[in-house]
Amino acid sequence: MPQGDIFRMSIKYVKGVGEARAKLLTKLGIYTVNDALNFFPRDYQDRSILKKITEIQDGEECSVRASLVSDVTESKPRRNLSIVKALVSDGTAFLSLTWFNQSYIKNNLKNGIEYIFFGKVKRNGMRLEMHNPVIETAEQSGKYTGRILPVYPLTKGLTQTHLRTVIENSLKLAESKFEEILPQDLRERYNLSHIGFSYEEIHFPQSLHHMEQARRRLVFEELLILQLSLLKSKGINKEQKGNRFEPVDVNPLLNKLTFKLTSAQKKVFEEICNDMQSDRKMNRLIQGDVGSGKTIVAVMAIYVAAKNGYQSAFMVPTEILAEQHYRSVRQLFEDLGISVRLLTGSTKKKEKEEIKALAKEGKIDVLIGTHAILEDDTEFYKLGLVITDEQHRFGVRQRAKLSVKGENPDLLVMTATPIPRTLTLTLYGDLDVSIIDELPPDRKPIDTYAVNESYRERIYNFIRKNVAEGRQAYIVCPLVEDSDEIEAESAEGLAERIRDNELKGLRVGLIHGKMKSAEKDKVMRKFVDGQLDVLVSTTVIEVGVNVPNANLMIIENAERFGLSQLHQLRGRVGRGKYKSYCILFNQSKSDVSRQRMEIMTSTNNGFVISEKDLELRGPGDVFGVRQHGLPELKIANLYRDMDILKDVQKAVKHIIESNLLLNEQYMLLNKKLDDIIKEKFKEISLN
Ligand code: ADP
Ligand code: MG
């Protein structure tokens, strides 16, 4: 990205802007010339294609070079409506032009002059028509016609023409001042165009080929900087001193378990111990499929910290999950002399105060909770370990905020979203990654079936049969309440219907995101305690809850969910000793839906599913980029740009392994990374 004064100049001084328009531009995030240059088109309109009228297809958008063959007429069929009409020809055929409420056009068009008209052509019987075409005389063409124009995201009060002008004028100011931060050898090796060319051509491309070249370079640079800065901050983190913990015998804890650790759990715990025993700060991500047993590994780390006299904070995204962890952790630590407390948004004020006081005095060893742990007045006496579970719900900033509560506490992040390998570096380049790649041996695969409506009755009978055997079922719907716009099952609608009809006589509960947490907890608790047979819900149950007696997961409108999400939901069953099933109601007949359902029925492996999901839909759908705390990307699209991403990864590997950042040629790039990292740390300390 360019540097220097002109780039930092306020947008209001750019020709054609001024105070009022500058204010509108801020709504689009444009404050400076640099912001304008980095405000990229969302699309292009190719006005460079000149067509003979006879060649034009119905519905085509193109330019035509033609002159009037009749007088221009105007009619006013209604008040507030003016219609200007003209007939033009290029010698091959006629074209009728119509403008609505642009009265002035009739004075602009003259006989005997050639014009370029740009617009969408429609066939109306024998006639070809263009509505509201853009006009330039053939002689003057080149600004509004005859070239490829950018199409920008807009805000009320700003038109495409405004933005094009602002950006065109910004480009004029910046011309020849762009600083090339990518060294020549890198640009040659990866076929990356020059920075000045790239900014010119991304906004006002000479050809679509140029635009693609420009885009390639800008995407490459964005991803390269992202990955290198993550790796560099990982390097900095590595130098950060942390607490050095003494090794601890965890057998007293393990002896309380009813199972043996898998070798994957042992391996990951060993990696954690190595981090904890070193005097460096731990920054580790534990990735493991649903049910792989991440929690116990975290609990073992907490045990090590506690026996070393350090406190731990365990942060989870929902109250239900916090309570569940609290209950199981407390039970494990009960007679091991480790005190555990729970702090959530619905903890009573008095108790909250008591907990905060105890935490501050060091009388609580483990604090489990939701965002409430982040509140400014939650202080610790000696915080040594911070764990966040189901990390995709927390941002990088919250992670950082929690770690400033202690003196460089070790950090452990757990996620059940298997990240496709191709994205790990981009999403988690600043963390060391441990993978629990094995499920406990007692797990039976969950039989999964994709069905259509004709199976509905059979499915309800199946639920009844399982309930009669003492089991419980989940039914997940994409919507909370019935909607006029979206045709899909709603949790409220379905719960009501099956209570009175199909599942009459069964105890049916309802839980969804619009309910108060206390209410949600009440319903959830009833389900956990076996006082409900069927729980109808939205995806609020997606994360972490554990009800071993539930063996049926039914998902309505499964086509509306991402595959990774379906996999998470499916992971809610198969947690006990009972044979479990997942039924996907697929209400779509599309090919892609069918393929997606096939993936779900053919594998229980979260990694495979996430890779496929990425192929079929794109990462935005897999797990919302923002959920991951990934900086918003300005131009790159992780799905569309997978090929560029692969090149970037090659380049990053080469740069790091050959230690190129210290080379003269890489000085500007290196400085850019330092600026970004500095900015990031500043941001964190401000929060
Ligand atoms: P997740 O990785 O999805 O968070 P959990 O940590 O909640 O999984 O573990 C799921 C269930 O598996 C829990 O009931 C836990 O007690 C159990 N579990 C964990 N490790 C093992 C193991 N090695 N063998 C058998 N059961 C295990
Ligand atoms: Mg978990």
Side-chain angles (χ1 to χ4, degrees), residues 290-291 293-295 321 325 389-390 414 416 543-545 572 575:
V290 262
K294 293 181 290 295
T295 317
L321 196 55
H325 278 346
D389 192 7
E390 309 297 346
M414 301 198 287
V543 198
V545 287
R572 294 307 109 219
R575 307 193 136 240

Side-chain angles (χ1 to χ4, degrees), residues 437-476:
D437 50 5
E438 181 186 1
L439 294 179
D442 58 347
R443 294 297 142 79
K444 297 172 212 73
I446 300 158
D447 282 357
T448 304
Y449 302 93
V451 300
N452 59 25
E453 272 310 300
S454 69
Y455 280 77
R456 192 167 286 278
E457 208 183 306
R458 262 178 277 180
I459 302 298
Y460 288 131
N461 288 336
F462 191 51
I463 296 178
R464 282 189 181 277
K465 177 172 154 282
N466 272 274
V467 168
E469 288 168 7
R471 304 287 81 74
Q472 292 162 286
Y474 295 98
I475 304 180
V476 176

Side-chain angles (χ1 to χ4, degrees), residues 132-147:
N132 295 323
V134 176
I135 327 169
E136 271 178 329
T137 62
E139 207 173 308
Q140 288 174 332
S141 92
K143 186 162 168 63
Y144 297 115
T145 65
R147 65 166 170 170

Side-chain angles (χ1 to χ4, degrees), residues 259-262 265 290-295 440 443 546 575:
F259 52 78
K260 280 207 165 57
L261 295 181
T262 62
Q265 284 170 318
V290 262
S292 61
K294 293 181 290 295
T295 317
R443 294 297 142 79
N546 198 21
R575 307 193 136 240

Side-chain angles (χ1 to χ4, degrees), residues 510-537:
L510 170 69
I511 190 168
H512 58 70
K514 286 193 182 164
M515 287 160 57
K516 293 224 170 60
S517 354
E519 258 179 286
K520 271 191 285 198
D521 286 348
K522 214 166 104 191
V523 178
M524 199 62 218
R525 178 128 338 110
K526 272 177 132 176
F527 191 67
V528 172
D529 294 346
Q531 294 170 36
L532 289 172
D533 303 312
V534 178
L535 184 62
V536 179
S537 86

